[in-house]
PDB file of all heavy atoms in Angstrom:
ATOM      1  N   TYR A 996      10.188  14.277  -4.239  1.00  0.00           N
ATOM      2  CA  TYR A 996       9.864  15.488  -3.503  1.00  0.00           C
ATOM      3  C   TYR A 996       9.220  15.138  -2.172  1.00  0.00           C
ATOM      4  O   TYR A 996       8.243  14.388  -2.114  1.00  0.00           O
ATOM      5  CB  TYR A 996       8.902  16.350  -4.329  1.00  0.00           C
ATOM      6  CG  TYR A 996       8.612  17.725  -3.765  1.00  0.00           C
ATOM      7  CD1 TYR A 996       9.475  18.783  -3.987  1.00  0.00           C
ATOM      8  CD2 TYR A 996       7.450  17.962  -3.036  1.00  0.00           C
ATOM      9  CE1 TYR A 996       9.208  20.045  -3.489  1.00  0.00           C
ATOM     10  CE2 TYR A 996       7.172  19.221  -2.531  1.00  0.00           C
ATOM     11  CZ  TYR A 996       8.051  20.259  -2.765  1.00  0.00           C
ATOM     12  OH  TYR A 996       7.789  21.516  -2.278  1.00  0.00           O
ATOM     13  N   GLN A1002       0.614  22.961  10.836  1.00  0.00           N
ATOM     14  CA  GLN A1002      -0.746  23.469  10.699  1.00  0.00           C
ATOM     15  C   GLN A1002      -1.196  24.032  12.023  1.00  0.00           C
ATOM     16  O   GLN A1002      -1.222  23.317  13.039  1.00  0.00           O
ATOM     17  CB  GLN A1002      -1.703  22.365  10.233  1.00  0.00           C
ATOM     18  CG  GLN A1002      -3.096  22.882   9.935  1.00  0.00           C
ATOM     19  CD  GLN A1002      -3.979  21.845   9.293  1.00  0.00           C
ATOM     20  OE1 GLN A1002      -3.857  20.648   9.550  1.00  0.00           O
ATOM     21  NE2 GLN A1002      -4.873  22.279   8.420  1.00  0.00           N
ATOM     22  N   GLN A1010       4.599  25.566   4.865  1.00  0.00           N
ATOM     23  CA  GLN A1010       5.714  24.679   4.561  1.00  0.00           C
ATOM     24  C   GLN A1010       6.948  25.074   5.371  1.00  0.00           C
ATOM     25  O   GLN A1010       7.326  26.245   5.421  1.00  0.00           O
ATOM     26  CB  GLN A1010       6.021  24.717   3.063  1.00  0.00           C
ATOM     27  CG  GLN A1010       6.938  23.594   2.597  1.00  0.00           C
ATOM     28  CD  GLN A1010       7.125  23.620   1.090  1.00  0.00           C
ATOM     29  OE1 GLN A1010       7.362  24.668   0.499  1.00  0.00           O
ATOM     30  NE2 GLN A1010       7.017  22.455   0.456  1.00  0.00           N
ATOM     31  N   ASP A1024       8.340  28.352   4.059  1.00  0.00           N
ATOM     32  CA  ASP A1024       7.911  29.638   4.612  1.00  0.00           C
ATOM     33  C   ASP A1024       8.366  29.876   6.042  1.00  0.00           C
ATOM     34  O   ASP A1024       8.605  31.011   6.446  1.00  0.00           O
ATOM     35  CB  ASP A1024       6.373  29.714   4.584  1.00  0.00           C
ATOM     36  CG  ASP A1024       5.840  30.057   3.215  1.00  0.00           C
ATOM     37  OD1 ASP A1024       6.510  30.826   2.514  1.00  0.00           O
ATOM     38  OD2 ASP A1024       4.769  29.556   2.866  1.00  0.00           O
ATOM     39  N   GLN A1066       0.220  15.749  -3.654  1.00  0.00           N
ATOM     40  CA  GLN A1066       0.991  15.502  -2.441  1.00  0.00           C
ATOM     41  C   GLN A1066       0.286  14.408  -1.636  1.00  0.00           C
ATOM     42  O   GLN A1066      -0.923  14.473  -1.415  1.00  0.00           O
ATOM     43  CB  GLN A1066       1.059  16.760  -1.589  1.00  0.00           C
ATOM     44  CG  GLN A1066       1.698  17.975  -2.264  1.00  0.00           C
ATOM     45  CD  GLN A1066       3.196  17.859  -2.332  1.00  0.00           C
ATOM     46  OE1 GLN A1066       3.857  17.606  -1.339  1.00  0.00           O
ATOM     47  NE2 GLN A1066       3.740  18.016  -3.520  1.00  0.00           N
TER      48      GLN A1066
ATOM     49  N   GLN B 118      -9.579  18.308   3.702  1.00  0.00           N
ATOM     50  CA  GLN B 118      -9.136  17.813   5.008  1.00  0.00           C
ATOM     51  C   GLN B 118     -10.321  17.746   5.951  1.00  0.00           C
ATOM     52  O   GLN B 118     -10.925  18.763   6.287  1.00  0.00           O
ATOM     53  CB  GLN B 118      -8.049  18.714   5.598  1.00  0.00           C
ATOM     54  CG  GLN B 118      -7.467  18.188   6.903  1.00  0.00           C
ATOM     55  CD  GLN B 118      -6.415  19.113   7.483  1.00  0.00           C
ATOM     56  OE1 GLN B 118      -6.439  20.318   7.294  1.00  0.00           O
ATOM     57  NE2 GLN B 118      -5.456  18.546   8.225  1.00  0.00           N
ATOM     58  N   TYR B 181      11.165  25.323  -5.238  1.00  0.00           N
ATOM     59  CA  TYR B 181      10.072  24.362  -5.367  1.00  0.00           C
ATOM     60  C   TYR B 181       9.139  24.460  -4.169  1.00  0.00           C
ATOM     61  O   TYR B 181       8.505  23.506  -3.781  1.00  0.00           O
ATOM     62  CB  TYR B 181      10.640  22.957  -5.488  1.00  0.00           C
ATOM     63  CG  TYR B 181      11.461  22.769  -6.741  1.00  0.00           C
ATOM     64  CD1 TYR B 181      12.844  22.960  -6.720  1.00  0.00           C
ATOM     65  CD2 TYR B 181      10.855  22.424  -7.943  1.00  0.00           C
ATOM     66  CE1 TYR B 181      13.594  22.806  -7.864  1.00  0.00           C
ATOM     67  CE2 TYR B 181      11.613  22.264  -9.097  1.00  0.00           C
ATOM     68  CZ  TYR B 181      12.980  22.456  -9.054  1.00  0.00           C
ATOM     69  OH  TYR B 181      13.724  22.303 -10.182  1.00  0.00           O
ATOM     70  N   GLN B 182       9.081  25.665  -3.631  1.00  0.00           N
ATOM     71  CA  GLN B 182       8.252  25.883  -2.448  1.00  0.00           C
ATOM     72  C   GLN B 182       6.773  25.794  -2.799  1.00  0.00           C
ATOM     73  O   GLN B 182       6.345  26.242  -3.857  1.00  0.00           O
ATOM     74  CB  GLN B 182       8.571  27.270  -1.888  1.00  0.00           C
ATOM     75  CG  GLN B 182       7.867  27.604  -0.608  1.00  0.00           C
ATOM     76  CD  GLN B 182       8.345  28.924  -0.050  1.00  0.00           C
ATOM     77  OE1 GLN B 182       9.524  29.259  -0.142  1.00  0.00           O
ATOM     78  NE2 GLN B 182       7.433  29.687   0.526  1.00  0.00           N
ATOM     79  N   LEU B 183       6.002  25.185  -1.918  1.00  0.00           N
ATOM     80  CA  LEU B 183       4.560  25.107  -2.065  1.00  0.00           C
ATOM     81  C   LEU B 183       3.896  25.986  -1.036  1.00  0.00           C
ATOM     82  O   LEU B 183       4.276  25.961   0.135  1.00  0.00           O
ATOM     83  CB  LEU B 183       4.080  23.670  -1.888  1.00  0.00           C
ATOM     84  CG  LEU B 183       4.057  22.760  -3.098  1.00  0.00           C
ATOM     85  CD1 LEU B 183       3.511  21.403  -2.715  1.00  0.00           C
ATOM     86  CD2 LEU B 183       3.235  23.348  -4.223  1.00  0.00           C
TER      87      LEU B 183
END
Side-chain angles (χ1 to χ4, degrees):
Chain A
Y996 187 83
Q1002 186 172 32
Q1010 194 176 46
D1024 281 326
Q1066 301 284 308
Chain B
Q118 185 181 29
Y181 296 93
Q182 184 174 323
L183 273 182

